[in-house]
Amino acid sequence: NTLGKPIQFGVSPFAIAITPDGKTAYVANGMNMVTPIDLATGTPGKPIHFGAQPSVIAITPDGKTAYVGSGNAVTPIDLATGTPGKPIHVGGQPGWLTIAITPDGKTAYVADGNAVTPIDLATNTPGKPIHGGGSTSPYVAIAITPDGKTAYVGSGNAVTPIDLATSTSGKPIHVGGQAGGLT
């Protein structure tokens, strides 16, 4: 339980995602870029310039694509080439985005403050937003079960289950404090 040597690069790391093979971390940071880091050596790679301040990142289970949230859009990045694709607009409240990808890699679910928006990852097309659960607070966190059947969304002092097969919200589970992060 000792700290390792800090890895120096850019400023203000907002979010980190690690590739499924455990070899590379991608860091969304305040310099409008995503920086890959070789985890074996602790060496930063060539930054991927992003154009807008990224605040959240998730990587597909095959390790080929990162989805990076900024403002009220999610942008795919081809990790083999470091090339950002076309932003996918999800609406919602800028700055509130969180992303979770299903274990099969077919769908990303974006908690965007107002709703949970599914994105078909084969076409990068957003689907119909999922509302409900009875919470008046913004959705600020999302996690998907390993079987890919249920998403849990943090909002205010509750966590709301969403049945992903039917896109319906269940009864909120009150947790007593701000549900700001889920895993």
Side-chain angles (χ1 to χ4, degrees), residues 1-109:
N1 292 328
T2 59
L3 293 174
K5 181 181 175 187
I7 300 167
Q8 299 296 324
F9 71 96
V11 298
S12 300
F14 290 114
I16 300 170
I18 298 174
T19 55
D21 64 9
K23 294 181 179 181
T24 308
Y26 285 85
V27 181
N29 65 59
M31 298 199 52
N32 295 351
M33 63 182 73
V34 173
T35 304
I37 297 174
D38 181 316
L39 294 178
T41 65
T43 306
K46 180 181 177 186
I48 301 165
H49 294 279
F50 193 72
Q53 187 169 313
S55 60
V56 64
I57 185 169
I59 297 175
T60 56
D62 64 8
K64 294 181 180 181
T65 308
Y67 284 83
V68 181
S70 177
N72 62 356
V74 175
T75 301
I77 295 177
D78 181 320
L79 296 181
T81 64
T83 306
K86 181 180 175 185
I88 304 160
H89 294 280
V90 294
Q93 300 177 25
W96 288 99
L97 296 184
T98 57
I99 304 168
I101 298 174
T102 55
D104 64 8
K106 292 181 179 180
T107 309
Y109 286 87

Side-chain angles (χ1 to χ4, degrees), residues 132-134 160-163 168-172:
T160 302
I162 297 174
D163 181 319
T168 55
S169 297
K171 183 178 177 183

